[in-house]
Amino acid sequence: MRKKQFKAESKKLLDMMINSIYTHKEIFLRELISNASDAIDKLYFKSLTDDSVKLARGDFKIRIDVDKEARTITLTDNGIGMTEEELEKNLGTIAKSGSLNFKEENADDKNAEDISVIGQFGVGFYSSFMVSDKVEVVSKAFGESVAHKWVSSGADGYTIEECEKNDDGTVITLYIKEDTENEDYSQYLEQYKIEELVKKYSDYIRYPIEMEMSHQVPDPEKEGEYITEISTEVLNSMTPIWRKSKSEIKPEDYNEFYKNKFMDYSDPLAVIHSKTEGQATFDALMYIPENPPYDFYSKEYEKGLQLYSNGVLIMDKCPDLLPDYFSFVKGLVDSADLSLNISREMLQHDHQLKIIAKAIDKKIKNELAKMLKNDREKYEKFFKVFGLQLKYGVYANYGMEKDGLKDLLIFESSVADTYTTLKEYVGRMPESQDTIYYACGENAQKIALLPQLDAVKEKGFEVLYFTDEVDEFAIQMLMEYDGKKFANICKNDLDLSTDTEKEAINKKNEESKDLLDKMKDVLVGQVTSVKFSNKLGSHPVSLTAEGYVSLEMEKVLSSMPGANQGVKAQLVLEINSNHPVAQKLADADDETVEKYTKLLYTSARLIAGLDIDNPTEFSDTIADLMQ
Ligand code: ADP
């Protein structure tokens, strides 16, 4: 028998477990029980279509035995078991390899990293090494004639050999560590402790978790004396939490279940527990996380809810239950309407599932709307993390879902201290305002400095601040809100002037035609026109866009992979007619007009957040003028 080495990553994780100072070492039991339950699920599932499985639903169980003398805890399940290869593959390497990479990036504090890895990813089987010196796994896979024993005393490796075992399933024996100054490992050998841990973490496991319990009972023969009675008891209630009535469940129960099941270390932001009857009958338990799942922004991330049929897991991540814009939602759906043997392909076309998905979508929207109304602070926290998803949801599929999502959007604005909904914005609009104004930029601070903003604010109009790239696209998809159109204040067609003002500025532009043509010639190929404007407040110059494509949209479109570089905003250089520079330009000779024009154009590009082609020339010209 040869000693084998763990894969490097696994060894690292194991080392961490063995030396862990994680305070919740007790989770090892939950992890082992949950593995056992999964293994039973697999065999039970098989039994539905395979007659060679001799066990019936009621035969499946998990058993815990404790031997105080020998300092061992033994977990026995009659699930699907593992072959030699599976023992090697499943226990010799860590499946969630992404989790370790994550950890290394954040490794500034050994203690913190330990806790966050264990807390976030749940380390499964390896957590046994937090409390054990040695772990022994004896397993016989369903359909195999031989059993195998896997043994490891930690990071120095493991052995696998053939062994005796009659029934299918797995027996795991933990050799519990000796107590140390700081750690009381012996507590896990107490029956009350095991009972407590099972109730706390594994109560909902659907198979009985049995343990031999001893109780002191009065001796029927000798009065005043006690005898020890031994009986096998089932420790868990076996009712999944989502099947219990809401009044039975405490908020902690919901949170605890969430953290264990979906491997998060923070409590969820919101819990949605519903029992639906009617067109479709199902229980749903869903969570809105506080933080994005660790792989949320990676290609590997899969959305979906767990799907149960009458308490039996039939799919771990059913994507058809969640729209993309709610891909962050975690949870499960349990419905008796679904057949246990339904295949993934069939499921996609299942009518019942579609009805459930629709109902789920509505429930999540209602929950978010409720949060928005009743707990603004929480909603803003939510939106900062997941708001982008909703905005993409408005934009996606040609705006098919926009109506259901538009009232869940919030934006910063020139008025509100924090965020405003579109509805609130419209509620604040003065009678003279018929358009919803917005401006785009990197962040609120930068947008607040845009020269175009002053004129709009002067009119007493509020401006929404769009800081995400998708914002303007989403709003264009929306087209209007409550009958009000949207307008980008940096677009040339923004019309805030009165008729007299308009007349005055048109006249000014006509009179200055020669000058403006000269300036346009200087900027040939860069702007489509140069004109005087009366909407720049105290600022001398700005760039606006003509036509459909705004400056922000151009930036986004041209940064996309395979971008169509032909999509360009049509730029207009606007000079403030009320600013002294207007007069300066009028008085200047041709050579100076050229210099001024370049300067004004370049500074307008800077204000708009655009690159400049020749910063050196810009700087030289400024210096030149100073002399
Ligand atoms: P996870 O359960 O998250 O996949 P673990 O490290 O806990 O990670 O377990 C690794 C794998 O080992 C499991 O996915 C499963 O295939 C197998 N396994 C663990 N315990 C058992 C068991 N009691 N019976 C059958 N297979 C098991």
Side-chain angles (χ1 to χ4, degrees):
M1 187 174 52
R2 205 164 58 81
K3 187 149 231 162
K4 303 192 181 185
Q5 294 308 313
F6 288 103
K7 296 261 155 51
E9 271 199 329
S10 313
K11 185 165 168 358
K12 205 157 182 166
L13 184 62
L14 257 181
D15 269 331
M16 242 166 75
M17 288 305 106
I18 293 163
N19 303 310
S20 173
I21 48 151
Y22 186 51
T23 42
H24 290 77
K25 291 194 164 67
E26 59 187 33
I27 58 132
F28 75 92
L29 191 64
R30 162 192 100 195
E31 300 289 313
L32 294 183
I33 290 174
S34 130
N35 281 347
S37 166
D38 290 348
I40 294 177
D41 270 342
K42 284 179 196 157
L43 190 56
Y44 172 54
F45 214 66
K46 216 181 189 60
S47 75
L48 300 172
T49 53
D50 187 341
D51 286 342
S52 61
V53 184
K54 294 289 170 243
L55 299 177
R57 175 71 177 84
D59 299 328
F60 290 107
K61 62 179 72 159
I62 298 164
R63 189 186 161 86
I64 304 177
D65 290 287
V66 178
D67 184 336
K68 262 184 162 172
E69 301 280 287
R71 292 186 74 79
T72 59
I73 302 175
T74 305
L75 244 107
T76 307
D77 71 65
N78 50 1
I80 193 122
M82 283 176 276
T83 61
E84 180 173 9
E85 293 75 46
E86 283 166 343
L87 279 167
E88 174 104 13
K89 185 171 107 267
N90 296 337
L91 310 184
T93 47
I94 121 165
K96 308 174 206 81
S97 51
S99 55
L100 271 187
N101 299 340
F102 182 83
K103 180 217 88 188
E104 266 159 12
E105 278 162 28
N106 294 284
D108 21 348
D109 168 359
K110 192 104 187 92
N111 181 2
E113 95 191 9
D114 169 13
I115 288 166
S116 86
V117 168
I118 298 173
Q120 271 186 70
F121 306 109
V123 286
F125 171 73
Y126 283 178
S127 59
S128 353
F129 286 95
M130 288 195 292
V131 298
S132 322
D133 290 323
K134 182 168 100 172
V135 179
E136 227 177 70
V137 182
V138 172
S139 195
K140 182 158 150 319
F142 169 75
E144 293 276 308
S145 51
V146 285
H148 289 90
K149 180 152 108 180
W150 179 101
V151 185
S152 172
S153 299
D156 64 331
Y158 60 90
T159 58
I160 298 182
E161 62 184 319
E162 230 179 272
C163 70
E164 284 295 312
K165 184 178 187 322
N166 290 329
D167 305 328
D168 297 331
T170 304
V171 181
I172 299 182
T173 305
L174 310 183
Y175 292 82
I176 299 300
K177 291 183 185 182
E178 293 295 337
D179 293 342
T180 65
E181 211 176 300
N182 305 316
E183 290 286 353
D184 172 15
Y185 295 108
S186 299
Q187 58 175 323
Y188 303 124
L189 296 164
E190 302 291 342
Q191 70 173 33
Y192 80 87
K193 187 67 188 179
I194 299 281
E195 189 180 8
E196 176 193 311
L197 293 179
V198 170
K199 286 230 158 69
K200 178 165 171 194
Y201 294 114
S202 311
D203 191 56
Y204 61 88
I205 293 287
R206 297 178 321 106
Y207 306 101
I209 302 169
E210 293 181 352
M211 187 164 74
E212 204 155 77
M213 304 279 279
S214 55
H215 296 284
Q216 299 292 315
V217 293
D219 188 339
E221 270 148 39
K222 288 196 201 116
E223 185 143 347
E225 301 218 355
Y226 286 83
I227 54 165
T228 306
E229 203 177 76
I230 294 182
S231 61
T232 298
E233 287 178 26
V234 175
L235 304 182
N236 54 328
S237 76
M238 287 188 276
T239 314
I241 179 168
W242 63 90
R243 290 251 176 140
K244 294 186 185 169
S245 80
K246 286 196 208 179
S247 58
E248 273 180 78
I249 313 171
K250 296 193 287 285
E252 305 89 87
D253 299 338
Y254 280 128
N255 292 352
E256 202 53 50
F257 179 79
Y258 166 74
K259 287 189 282 192
N260 293 340
K261 189 144 192 113
F262 299 106
M263 298 179 180
D264 197 347
Y265 56 98
S266 347
D267 287 338
L269 219 48
V271 183
I272 309 168
H273 185 193
S274 72
K275 293 174 183 294
T276 309
E277 275 171 41
Q279 257 194 318
T281 301
F282 65 95
D283 297 337
L285 178 55
M286 294 178 288
Y287 295 93
I288 297 170
E290 180 178 318
N291 304 301
Y294 75 98
D295 56 349
F296 191 58
Y297 301 108
S298 77
K299 271 215 307 285
E300 284 72 42
Y301 183 76
E302 291 175 66
K303 65 163 185 172
L305 298 177
Q306 281 196 328
L307 187 59
Y308 290 79
S309 164
N310 242 338
V312 183
L313 183 68
I314 54 176
M315 197 190 286
D316 195 36
K317 274 183 186 148
C318 179
D320 310 304
L321 283 171
L322 281 180
D324 283 339
Y325 49 82
F326 288 149
S327 61
F328 50 85
V329 173
K330 297 281 177 193
L332 56 90
V333 166
D334 190 350
S335 170
D337 300 346
L338 297 165
S339 147
L340 260 183
N341 314 319
I342 196 160
S343 73
R344 235 162 234 263
E345 293 68 39
M346 273 157 63
L347 206 50
Q348 267 182 8
H349 305 292
D350 192 90
H351 180 60
Q352 214 56 27
L353 194 80
K354 289 208 170 89
I355 298 176
I356 297 176
K358 221 171 158 179
I360 294 270
D361 177 50
K362 211 158 144 197
K363 282 183 203 302
I364 302 172
K365 280 177 186 152
N366 287 347
E367 180 67 27
L368 289 174
K370 202 173 82 189
M371 194 196 293
L372 174 62
K373 186 159 171 265
N374 302 334
D375 192 343
R376 196 56 176 256
E377 203 178 314
K378 200 187 227 183
Y379 191 81
E380 283 174 14
K381 198 166 161 187
F382 156 78
F383 202 84
K384 277 178 195 157
V385 182
F386 297 116
L388 205 54
Q389 306 298 314
L390 305 191
K391 293 172 181 175
Y392 276 111
V394 169
Y395 178 61
N397 298 320
Y398 305 101
M400 216 162 76
E401 301 292 337
K402 62 184 181 184
D403 287 328
L405 293 171
K406 63 184 178 195
D407 283 315
L408 292 174
L409 302 181
I410 52 175
F411 300 98
E412 288 171 280
S413 89
S414 58
V415 167
D417 296 339
T418 54
Y419 287 81
T420 178
T421 62
L422 294 172
K423 196 172 183 168
E424 290 159 353
Y425 177 101
V426 169
R428 281 190 295 267
M429 280 168 69
E431 225 161 274
S432 57
Q433 183 184 353
D434 57 5
T435 306
I436 300 173
Y437 295 104
Y438 66 85
C440 306
E442 218 175 292
N443 55 46
Q445 290 79 359
K446 281 200 178 167
I447 298 175
L449 298 172
L450 283 175
Q452 290 94 334
L453 201 67
D454 288 1
V456 189
K457 279 168 72 177
E458 251 165 49
K459 298 267 169 193
F461 301 160
E462 180 174 359
V463 178
L464 295 174
Y465 291 174
F466 286 180
T467 52
D468 283 322
E469 286 182 345
V470 68
D471 286 341
E472 196 172 16
F473 293 89
I475 232 68
Q476 301 235 353
M477 203 51 93
L478 224 47
M479 288 193 294
E480 47 128 70
Y481 182 88
D482 198 18
K484 318 274 187 299
K485 291 218 164 12
F486 293 92
N488 184 340
I489 65 162
C490 299
K491 285 288 265 296
N492 184 257
D493 52 8
L494 185 75
D495 188 5
L496 292 171
S497 330
T498 62
D499 286 349
T500 354
E501 284 168 333
K502 247 181 255 175
E503 223 167 90
I505 198 71
N506 285 345
K507 194 157 157 248
K508 168 98 183 163
N509 275 315
E510 266 160 43
E511 285 167 7
S512 319
K513 191 168 179 313
D514 282 353
L515 171 67
L516 295 173
D517 281 348
K518 246 185 271 170
M519 294 175 75
K520 194 180 152 192
D521 285 344
V522 174
L523 299 175
V524 68
Q526 290 168 299
V527 301
T528 48
S529 77
V530 180
K531 60 184 207 180
F532 284 111
S533 153
N534 56 3
K535 56 186 191 197
L536 293 177
S538 60
H539 306 286
V541 67
S542 84
L543 269 182
T544 55
E546 254 176 347
Y548 178 77
V549 183
S550 74
L551 277 172
E552 295 304 314
M553 290 169 82
E554 177 192 318
K555 276 186 235 166
V556 177
L557 291 171
S558 61
S559 71
M560 287 198 301
N564 179 357
Q565 296 295 342
V567 186
K568 285 260 180 267
Q570 311 271 306
L571 299 184
V572 179
L573 183 69
E574 298 195 12
I575 313 287
N576 186 350
S577 61
N578 306 318
H579 194 281
V581 293
Q583 195 53 49
K584 277 268 181 195
L585 279 165
D587 297 343
D589 60 34
D590 283 3
E591 199 189 333
T592 318
V593 165
E594 182 174 341
K595 264 190 203 165
Y596 285 175
T597 303
K598 284 184 175 170
L599 265 187
L600 288 169
Y601 172 68
T602 311
S603 49
R605 281 189 73 89
L606 287 174
I607 294 168
L610 297 170
D611 280 346
I612 55 180
D613 292 336
N614 192 340
T616 312
E617 186 188 24
F618 181 55
S619 151
D620 287 352
T621 315
I622 292 177
D624 201 25
L625 287 170
M626 286 169 71
Q627 281 165 28

